[in-house]
Amino acid sequence: MTLFLFLACMLNFFFLSGRGLLIASKLKQLIGYNGSTLSLYYTIQNRAFSNSNTLVNETNSEALTLLIQCKQNIRVMFAIGFACIVASIPFA
């Protein structure tokens, strides 16, 4: 059972991280970010649990929507990962 939870957690991280990178790539093109997609994703990940949207211009609704989607994706990724870890504690 522990192995199943571990594999589910890893699959979650790979799938949702890939999805987040795709969203960050679209956002990078839209806002003209100079760095790499991975650095933008990491920056968004650092601010995922805040309400700040300072990376994008508030008037650009498409960029704001992508930023919010990326933040929600990161939150879901960590929530599922946390749930897998907590669920595996009784089996340790």
Side-chain angles (χ1 to χ4, degrees):
M1 186 66 171
T2 305
L3 180 62
F4 172 74
L5 288 172
F6 175 75
L7 292 175
C9 187
M10 292 307 294
L11 184 64
N12 159 58
F13 275 102
F14 285 129
F15 177 73
L16 290 177
S17 293
R19 183 176 182 265
L21 283 171
L22 287 174
I23 294 170
S25 175
K26 290 178 190 176
L27 182 62
K28 176 186 167 191
Q29 292 173 355
L30 195 62
I31 64 173
Y33 186 75
N34 290 331
S36 68
T37 301
L38 195 58
S39 68
L40 177 62
Y41 181 70
Y42 182 70
T43 303
I44 295 170
Q45 191 175 20
N46 284 337
R47 300 178 186 179
F49 295 100
S50 71
N51 291 329
S52 173
N53 294 325
T54 56
L55 285 174
V56 299
N57 189 355
E58 296 290 331
T59 59
N60 191 345
S61 64
E62 187 178 356
L64 188 59
T65 302
L66 286 173
L67 179 64
I68 291 170
Q69 282 179 353
C70 196
K71 281 184 172 185
Q72 288 174 345
N73 186 65
I74 292 167
R75 290 173 187 159
V76 167
M77 180 178 69
F78 281 114
I80 292 173
F82 181 74
C84 286
I85 290 169
V86 169
S88 67
I89 288 174
F91 301 106

